[in-house]
């Protein structure tokens, strides 16, 4: 698979009143076309900063971020879905999902027509004219996914999108996402604290440590797709989860 986004010797630091903090130093990584990559790490290590660098919201202190083989504009090609759904309460579900198309200059009627084409595959065909406060948390997240998918034609950046959901809804959304994302023709980069979620959804997993120097430690997920619902009960899954957990806390111990 061709490389879609690449960090080339990226460093990122920021200054506070008391000190200078380094999030990344001389860091390299890449995301390939049509793959699902997750980033796991302990709280406070800078995972959200990585996503904001990928989205173009932050600029690196040094190094280059390449997109599609060069320093190309990412607007309209990369979209970021934050932890909260951020739906506008005065807009209908259709109008919320159509927002990125409107920003790109698509006429409102045409934008809403595009949204309607995707509503069935997102399980939203019965709520097109509903407002956000009329939907459950899981349904609101589906709207947010649709909006993000329409806003980024190549790469979706997901910053813990399921963290606010209850356990049952979270599992339902994981199953839905792993069943449908390949139909979208997008790469996905997911931040999560949930190791099981990362394994179940991903092709590769990056492990981040505080003050990351050099490339992430990388785990290739060996399970074929489609993945069975009971994958998390298998011996191989449990062993991989234990390995990643050990790596995360080993890094924390070494830092101390």
């Amino acid at each position: 698979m061709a490389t879609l986004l690449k960090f080339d010797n990226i460093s990122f630091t920021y200054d506070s009143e008391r000190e200078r903090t380094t999030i990344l130093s001389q860091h390299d990584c890449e995301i390939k076309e049509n793959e699902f990559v997750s980033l796991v790490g302990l709280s406070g290590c800078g995972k959200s900063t990585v996503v904001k660098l990928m989205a173009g919201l932050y600029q690196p202190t040094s190094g280059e971020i390449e997109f599609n083989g060069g320093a190309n504009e990412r607007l309209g090609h990369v979209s970021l879905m934050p932890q909260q759904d951020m739906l506008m309460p005065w807009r209908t579900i259709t109008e919320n999902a159509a927002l990125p198309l409107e920003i790109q200059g698509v006429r409102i009627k045409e934008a809403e027509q595009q949204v309607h084409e995707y509503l069935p595959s997102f399980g939203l065909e019965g709520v097109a004219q509903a407002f956000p406060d009329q939907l459950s948390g899981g349904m609101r997240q589906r709207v947010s996914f649709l909006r993000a998918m329409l806003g980024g034609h190549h790469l979706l950046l997901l910053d813990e999108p399921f963290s606010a959901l209850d356990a049952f809804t979270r599992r339902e959304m994981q199953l839905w996402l792993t069943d449908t994302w390949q139909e979208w023709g997008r790469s996905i980069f997911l931040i999560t604290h949930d190791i099981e979620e990362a394994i179940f959804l991903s092709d590769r997993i990056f492990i981040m440590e505080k003050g990351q120097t050099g490339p992430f430690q990388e785990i290739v997920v060996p399970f074929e797709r489609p993945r069975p619902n009971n994958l998390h009960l298998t011996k191989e899954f449990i062993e991989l989860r234990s390995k990643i957990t050990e790596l995360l806390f080993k890094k924390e111990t070494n830092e101390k």
Side-chain angles (χ1 to χ4, degrees):
M1 292 184 289
T3 297
L4 180 63
L5 185 142
K6 181 179 180 181
F7 276 22
D8 185 7
N9 201 32
I10 292 294
S11 294
F12 182 83
T13 62
Y14 68 89
D15 295 318
S16 64
E17 294 181 358
R18 296 182 178 180
E19 60 183 356
R20 167 167 285 195
T21 301
T22 298
I23 303 297
L24 294 172
S25 179
Q26 299 176 329
H27 173 69
D28 300 315
C29 72
E30 63 181 28
I31 301 172
K32 299 183 182 300
E33 292 181 349
N34 300 316
E35 77 165 342
F36 200 124
V37 179
S38 288
L39 176 64
V40 298
L42 301 179
S43 295
C45 69
K47 298 185 296 298
S48 292
T49 298
V50 172
V51 161
K52 289 173 182 176
L53 284 164
M54 290 181 173
L57 299 177
Y58 290 168
Q59 296 302 315
T61 305
S62 62
E64 293 186 2
I65 300 176
E66 298 180 6
F67 184 76
N68 267 342
N72 299 315
E73 175 62 55
R74 279 162 273 166
L75 181 63
H77 300 284
V78 177
S79 61
L80 170 61
M81 179 178 168
Q83 295 180 25
Q84 303 300 321
D85 59 61
M86 305 295 287
L87 299 180
M88 298 179 179
W90 61 88
R91 294 177 69 115
T92 66
I93 298 314
T94 297
E95 291 167 345
N96 266 287
L99 183 60
L101 298 175
E102 294 177 35
I103 292 173
Q104 294 170 27
V106 179
R107 292 182 178 180
I108 293 177
K109 187 174 181 179
E110 182 182 345
E112 293 184 354
Q113 185 176 0
Q114 288 188 42
V115 170
H116 287 159
E117 292 174 1
Y118 284 101
L119 291 178
S121 61
F122 280 74
L124 297 168
E125 63 269 37
V127 296
Q129 298 307 313
F131 289 91
D133 63 0
Q134 297 175 295
L135 302 186
S136 66
M139 293 290 278
R140 290 171 65 105
Q141 287 299 82
R142 289 176 187 246
V143 179
S144 188
F145 265 109
L146 176 54
R147 182 179 59 189
M149 192 273 291
L150 291 171
H153 298 300
H154 292 90
L155 176 61
L156 271 63
L157 306 172
L158 309 179
D159 190 353
E160 299 196 68
F162 306 137
S163 61
L165 302 178
D166 64 80
F168 293 106
T169 305
R170 183 175 187 137
R171 182 62 177 167
E172 178 186 35
M173 291 298 296
Q174 291 168 357
L175 293 171
W176 169 77
L177 182 57
T178 194
D179 285 342
T180 60
W181 77 270
Q182 289 177 307
E183 300 174 7
W184 308 344
R186 311 288 198 274
S187 297
I188 291 183
F189 186 81
L190 169 72
I191 287 180
T192 180
H193 282 95
D194 188 331
I195 296 173
E196 289 195 4
E197 180 173 86
I199 296 172
F200 184 71
L201 292 173
S202 306
D203 299 308
R204 292 186 294 149
I205 298 172
F206 294 155
I207 299 175
M208 184 175 184
E209 59 186 287
K210 192 172 183 179
Q212 179 77 40
T213 299
F216 296 129
Q217 186 155 356
E218 177 183 319
I219 301 292
V220 176
V221 179
F223 307 118
E224 295 183 356
R225 299 184 187 274
R227 293 176 180 169
N229 296 352
N230 64 347
L231 179 64
H232 64 292
L233 301 177
T234 64
K235 177 183 176 183
E236 294 78 10
F237 187 100
I238 293 170
E239 288 177 346
L240 184 55
R241 181 188 64 195
S242 298
K243 177 181 178 181
I244 295 172
T245 301
E246 183 179 349
L247 287 171
L248 280 170
F249 285 95
K250 182 178 180 181
K251 286 179 179 293
E252 181 188 37
T253 301
N254 290 340
E255 289 165 11
K256 291 180 179 179

